Amino acid sequence: MRYMKQFGIILAVTCVGDFLNYALPLPIPGSIYGLVIMLVLLITGVIKIYQVKDSAEFLIDIMPMMFIPAAVGLLVAWGELKPVLLPVLFITIASTIVVMAVTGRVSQAVMRLRKRETSKTDAIISAEYAKKRLEDVDE
Amino acid sequence: MNNIVASSATFGVVISILGYFIGLQIKAKTKLAICNPLLISIIIVMVVLKVTGIKYSAYRISGQYLSYLLTPATVSLAIPLYQQLHRLKKNWVGISVGLVSGALASMATVLVLSVLFRLSHEDYVTMLPKSITTAIGMGVSEELGGIVTITVAVIIVTGILGNVLADSICKLFRITDPVAKGLAIGASSHAIGTARAMEMGEIEGAMSSLAIVVSGLLTVVGASFFAMLY
């Protein structure tokens, strides 16, 4: 029963997300509302992590398979895709690589910069502290 | 043949799972990035349908049960994200700057290339939401007057590319930090890429999940502006 109870909680949150998607006039799907609601419920402690963890891990584990039916649907979209195939394919490949490289490099650079800055201020603070202690000793 | 398949509530799921496990076997044997289990399973199912003459609509009747799980699975991404919340708080500046740059880079690349290829406005806005998760992307494309079926196709191809190429691109551009890796994969190739990030590690998976949400929302806001540019 443990798994079904956990799955039930996940589905209940998903369901609230679906309702929000219906009620609000934004192009945001129920799954995204659900993800944010689940995160808030975990942070506020309304849902404890052990109450959803096992079923969530199972769903995430099999997630790649869930894309198969939609991807096989490319067979049907082929007719519409064919006339614009070359530019569309080129743009798709190029922008996927660009976005991955830009997001990764920029976030990595900013995080490293900030890490260096904080360690620098840490070093300055500890150096000053050491100096002050030396002065204290002198006195 | 179509009638037998259409009458079954399991055929589509069975053939998809079977294709995926054949993919896993081939991946384990060859250890090549291109032998991605998701890619192989898609090709196997496509070939089976073509060879046997089974219509996609017949396969879809039972195959949809796999897709059904996608919404609760996406909601479940909150769990690894919650477990990495301290990392998110510690690195929030780098994460925000990275994701905003990523969303801008996505739409700017589509803009520049659409101008170069002299695509119509309709084709341009169809491509704009290509990096974000399917459900948001469909909404954006529809609102801007794009062709939704092509948007969905492009989003799926983008996801598969990201899933297959993630390791090589991260290596090529020397993206080694697990937080940066996860963000890069999620921002460029949404949930399909995230499936690969989850296999890389907990941090990568959590950050990739975060990127799906944030990049999706940034694109909702940014796309209407970008749509006016061309």
Side-chain angles (χ1 to χ4, degrees):
Chain A
M1 278 314 275
R2 185 168 54 122
Y3 286 101
M4 209 54 206
K5 195 178 161 192
Q6 295 194 358
F7 190 50
I9 294 175
I10 294 169
L11 280 186
V13 174
T14 308
C15 181
V16 175
D18 284 337
F19 289 161
L20 278 178
N21 169 51
Y22 179 81
L24 301 176
L26 299 169
I28 296 169
S31 58
I32 299 295
Y33 285 123
L35 199 165
V36 175
I37 295 169
M38 181 64 93
L39 191 62
V40 171
L41 291 175
L42 286 167
I43 292 171
T44 52
V46 177
I47 294 178
K48 303 276 182 290
I49 194 133
Y50 68 85
Q51 292 174 312
V52 285
K53 196 166 186 269
D54 303 310
S55 288
E57 277 172 354
F58 171 69
L59 285 172
I60 292 171
D61 193 38
I62 64 166
M63 203 171 170
M65 286 182 214
M66 301 174 194
F67 296 106
I68 300 172
V72 174
L74 289 175
L75 279 178
V76 184
W78 181 244
E80 277 177 89
L81 213 51
K82 215 172 155 190
V84 282
L85 188 67
L86 271 180
V88 165
L89 202 60
F90 183 83
I91 295 174
T92 305
I93 296 171
S95 79
T96 306
I97 297 172
V98 169
V99 176
M100 205 180 275
V102 168
T103 313
R105 290 298 298 197
V106 170
S107 52
Q108 184 166 281
V110 175
M111 283 187 292
R112 281 189 184 158
L113 202 68
R114 285 181 58 85
K115 204 176 277 173
R116 207 176 300 150
E117 267 171 20
T118 43
S119 55
K120 214 189 276 170
T121 28
D122 284 354
I124 292 169
I125 290 167
S126 51
E128 277 176 359
Y129 181 73
K131 215 169 117 191
K132 210 170 161 223
R133 277 193 58 182
L134 275 175
E135 284 166 6
D136 287 348
V137 171
D138 284 347
E139 280 169 18
Chain B
M1 193 67 187
N2 275 304
N3 290 338
I4 301 178
V5 168
S7 72
S8 162
T10 46
F11 173 83
V13 181
V14 172
I15 189 177
S16 304
I17 295 179
L18 198 68
Y20 195 81
F21 279 98
I22 294 173
L24 281 177
Q25 293 285 323
I26 296 176
K27 170 88 191 181
K29 283 251 163 64
T30 60
K31 294 188 177 67
L32 293 171
I34 191 72
C35 293
N36 174 293
L38 175 62
L39 186 63
I40 292 173
S41 57
I42 294 163
I43 295 170
I44 288 177
V45 176
M46 281 180 168
V47 169
V48 170
L49 295 192
K50 275 279 169 222
V51 170
T52 56
I54 297 170
K55 286 205 183 86
Y56 174 69
S57 53
Y59 157 79
R60 176 88 199 166
I61 288 174
S62 44
Q64 62 174 332
Y65 295 111
L66 266 181
S67 319
Y68 165 79
L69 290 172
L70 205 52
T71 319
T74 309
V75 173
S76 301
L77 292 174
I79 282 90
L81 184 54
Y82 172 72
Q83 289 174 311
Q84 299 294 332
L85 212 58
H86 59 286
R87 236 176 273 273
L88 167 62
K89 282 182 188 154
K90 206 176 97 191
N91 299 308
W92 73 273
V93 177
I95 292 172
S96 334
V97 176
L99 289 178
V100 171
S101 331
L104 288 177
S106 172
M107 292 184 279
T109 317
V110 174
L111 172 65
V112 170
L113 292 175
S114 297
V115 172
L116 282 179
F117 282 112
R118 294 197 179 83
L119 290 187
S120 65
H121 174 78
E122 193 186 31
D123 287 333
Y124 164 59
V125 293
T126 297
M127 299 289 292
L128 260 187
K130 64 164 283 291
S131 294
I132 61 176
T133 192
T134 321
I136 306 186
M138 282 169 73
V140 170
S141 171
E142 199 177 352
E143 202 168 284
L144 299 176
I147 309 157
V148 178
T149 41
I150 296 190
T151 302
V152 172
V154 170
I155 289 176
I156 292 170
V157 173
T158 300
I160 297 169
L161 274 173
N163 186 304
V164 174
L165 297 177
D167 301 79
S168 340
I169 296 178
C170 287
K171 198 182 271 176
L172 181 66
F173 290 95
R174 287 189 297 275
I175 302 163
T176 48
D177 183 284
V179 174
K181 266 181 166 174
L183 295 172
I185 297 170
S188 62
S189 47
H190 52 94
I192 308 184
T194 300
R196 177 74 198 108
M198 281 290 171
E199 290 163 0
M200 289 177 168
E202 281 171 18
I203 304 173
E204 286 90 337
M207 292 302 144
S208 191
S209 314
L210 175 70
I212 298 178
V213 178
V214 179
S215 306
L217 299 181
L218 286 173
T219 305
V220 169
V221 179
S224 30
F225 170 72
F226 267 88
M228 292 187 290
L229 297 180
Y230 173 61

Short mmCIF file of all heavy atoms in Angstrom, two decimals, chain B residues 145-170:
data_model
loop_
_atom_site.label_atom_id
_atom_site.label_comp_id
_atom_site.label_asym_id
_atom_site.label_seq_id
_atom_site.Cartn_x
_atom_site.Cartn_y
_atom_site.Cartn_z
N GLY B 145 0.67 32.55 -32.69
CA GLY B 145 0.23 32.25 -34.04
C GLY B 145 1.15 31.30 -34.80
O GLY B 145 1.24 31.36 -36.02
N GLY B 146 1.84 30.42 -34.08
CA GLY B 146 2.71 29.44 -34.72
C GLY B 146 1.95 28.18 -35.11
O GLY B 146 0.75 28.07 -34.87
N ILE B 147 2.68 27.22 -35.74
CA ILE B 147 2.07 25.95 -36.13
C ILE B 147 2.38 24.95 -35.02
O ILE B 147 3.52 24.49 -34.88
CB ILE B 147 2.63 25.46 -37.48
CG1 ILE B 147 2.56 26.58 -38.51
CG2 ILE B 147 1.90 24.22 -37.96
CD1 ILE B 147 3.53 26.43 -39.65
N VAL B 148 1.37 24.63 -34.21
CA VAL B 148 1.62 23.90 -32.98
C VAL B 148 2.22 22.50 -33.22
O VAL B 148 3.14 22.09 -32.51
CB VAL B 148 0.33 23.81 -32.12
CG1 VAL B 148 0.56 23.00 -30.86
CG2 VAL B 148 -0.15 25.21 -31.75
N THR B 149 1.74 21.80 -34.25
CA THR B 149 2.29 20.43 -34.48
C THR B 149 3.79 20.48 -34.76
O THR B 149 4.54 19.63 -34.29
CB THR B 149 1.59 19.73 -35.67
OG1 THR B 149 1.42 20.68 -36.72
CG2 THR B 149 0.27 19.15 -35.27
N ILE B 150 4.24 21.49 -35.53
CA ILE B 150 5.68 21.60 -35.80
C ILE B 150 6.43 21.99 -34.53
O ILE B 150 7.50 21.44 -34.25
CB ILE B 150 5.95 22.61 -36.94
CG1 ILE B 150 5.32 22.10 -38.23
CG2 ILE B 150 7.46 22.82 -37.11
CD1 ILE B 150 5.71 22.88 -39.46
N THR B 151 5.84 22.88 -33.72
CA THR B 151 6.47 23.24 -32.45
C THR B 151 6.71 21.99 -31.61
O THR B 151 7.81 21.77 -31.10
CB THR B 151 5.60 24.23 -31.65
OG1 THR B 151 5.37 25.40 -32.45
CG2 THR B 151 6.26 24.63 -30.35
N VAL B 152 5.69 21.15 -31.50
CA VAL B 152 5.82 19.93 -30.70
C VAL B 152 6.92 19.03 -31.26
O VAL B 152 7.78 18.53 -30.53
CB VAL B 152 4.47 19.16 -30.64
CG1 VAL B 152 4.65 17.82 -29.97
CG2 VAL B 152 3.43 19.99 -29.90
N ALA B 153 6.94 18.88 -32.59
CA ALA B 153 7.96 18.04 -33.22
C ALA B 153 9.36 18.58 -32.92
O ALA B 153 10.26 17.83 -32.54
CB ALA B 153 7.73 17.98 -34.73
N VAL B 154 9.52 19.91 -33.06
CA VAL B 154 10.84 20.53 -32.84
C VAL B 154 11.26 20.39 -31.38
O VAL B 154 12.42 20.10 -31.08
CB VAL B 154 10.81 22.01 -33.27
CG1 VAL B 154 12.05 22.73 -32.82
CG2 VAL B 154 10.65 22.12 -34.77
N ILE B 155 10.30 20.58 -30.46
CA ILE B 155 10.61 20.45 -29.03
C ILE B 155 11.08 19.02 -28.71
O ILE B 155 12.06 18.82 -27.99
CB ILE B 155 9.37 20.81 -28.16
CG1 ILE B 155 9.12 22.32 -28.23
CG2 ILE B 155 9.57 20.37 -26.72
CD1 ILE B 155 7.87 22.77 -27.49
N ILE B 156 10.41 18.03 -29.31
CA ILE B 156 10.80 16.65 -29.04
C ILE B 156 12.18 16.35 -29.62
O ILE B 156 13.03 15.76 -28.95
CB ILE B 156 9.73 15.68 -29.60
CG1 ILE B 156 8.44 15.82 -28.79
CG2 ILE B 156 10.23 14.24 -29.56
CD1 ILE B 156 7.26 15.10 -29.37
N VAL B 157 12.42 16.82 -30.86
CA VAL B 157 13.75 16.60 -31.46
C VAL B 157 14.83 17.28 -30.62
O VAL B 157 15.89 16.71 -30.37
CB VAL B 157 13.78 17.10 -32.92
CG1 VAL B 157 15.19 17.02 -33.48
CG2 VAL B 157 12.83 16.27 -33.78
N THR B 158 14.54 18.50 -30.16
CA THR B 158 15.48 19.22 -29.29
C THR B 158 15.79 18.41 -28.03
O THR B 158 16.95 18.26 -27.64
CB THR B 158 14.88 20.59 -28.86
OG1 THR B 158 14.62 21.36 -30.02
CG2 THR B 158 15.83 21.33 -27.94
N GLY B 159 14.74 17.86 -27.41
CA GLY B 159 14.93 17.07 -26.20
C GLY B 159 15.80 15.85 -26.45
O GLY B 159 16.73 15.57 -25.68
N ILE B 160 15.52 15.14 -27.55
CA ILE B 160 16.30 13.93 -27.86
C ILE B 160 17.77 14.30 -28.12
O ILE B 160 18.68 13.66 -27.62
CB ILE B 160 15.69 13.18 -29.07
CG1 ILE B 160 14.27 12.72 -28.73
CG2 ILE B 160 16.55 11.98 -29.44
CD1 ILE B 160 13.49 12.21 -29.93
N LEU B 161 17.96 15.40 -28.89
CA LEU B 161 19.33 15.88 -29.16
C LEU B 161 20.06 16.16 -27.85
O LEU B 161 21.21 15.74 -27.66
CB LEU B 161 19.28 17.17 -29.97
CG LEU B 161 19.18 17.07 -31.48
CD1 LEU B 161 18.97 18.45 -32.07
CD2 LEU B 161 20.46 16.45 -32.04
N GLY B 162 19.39 16.89 -26.95
CA GLY B 162 20.00 17.24 -25.67
C GLY B 162 20.33 16.01 -24.87
O GLY B 162 21.40 15.89 -24.27
N ASN B 163 19.39 15.04 -24.88
CA ASN B 163 19.59 13.80 -24.14
C ASN B 163 20.81 13.04 -24.68
O ASN B 163 21.64 12.54 -23.92
CB ASN B 163 18.31 12.96 -24.28
CG ASN B 163 18.32 11.70 -23.45
OD1 ASN B 163 19.22 10.89 -23.57
ND2 ASN B 163 17.32 11.53 -22.60
N VAL B 164 20.95 13.00 -26.01
CA VAL B 164 22.03 12.23 -26.64
C VAL B 164 23.36 12.98 -26.55
O VAL B 164 24.41 12.38 -26.31
CB VAL B 164 21.69 11.95 -28.12
CG1 VAL B 164 22.85 11.27 -28.83
CG2 VAL B 164 20.44 11.08 -28.22
N LEU B 165 23.32 14.32 -26.72
CA LEU B 165 24.57 15.09 -26.85
C LEU B 165 25.09 15.66 -25.53
O LEU B 165 26.20 16.19 -25.48
CB LEU B 165 24.38 16.24 -27.84
CG LEU B 165 24.05 15.87 -29.30
CD1 LEU B 165 23.83 17.14 -30.12
CD2 LEU B 165 25.18 15.05 -29.91
N ALA B 166 24.27 15.59 -24.45
CA ALA B 166 24.62 16.26 -23.20
C ALA B 166 26.07 16.01 -22.76
O ALA B 166 26.81 16.96 -22.50
CB ALA B 166 23.65 15.84 -22.09
N ASP B 167 26.46 14.74 -22.73
CA ASP B 167 27.80 14.44 -22.23
C ASP B 167 28.89 15.06 -23.11
O ASP B 167 29.84 15.67 -22.61
CB ASP B 167 28.00 12.92 -22.17
CG ASP B 167 26.99 12.26 -21.25
OD1 ASP B 167 25.84 12.06 -21.69
OD2 ASP B 167 27.34 11.98 -20.10
N SER B 168 28.73 14.94 -24.43
CA SER B 168 29.76 15.44 -25.34
C SER B 168 29.84 16.97 -25.29
O SER B 168 30.94 17.54 -25.28
CB SER B 168 29.51 15.00 -26.78
OG SER B 168 28.67 13.90 -26.82
N ILE B 169 28.67 17.65 -25.25
CA ILE B 169 28.69 19.12 -25.23
C ILE B 169 29.32 19.64 -23.94
O ILE B 169 30.14 20.54 -23.96
CB ILE B 169 27.27 19.70 -25.43
CG1 ILE B 169 26.73 19.33 -26.82
CG2 ILE B 169 27.26 21.22 -25.26
CD1 ILE B 169 25.33 19.80 -27.10
N CYS B 170 28.95 19.03 -22.81
CA CYS B 170 29.54 19.45 -21.54
C CYS B 170 31.06 19.26 -21.55
O CYS B 170 31.81 20.09 -21.06
CB CYS B 170 28.93 18.69 -20.37
SG CYS B 170 27.25 19.23 -20.01
#
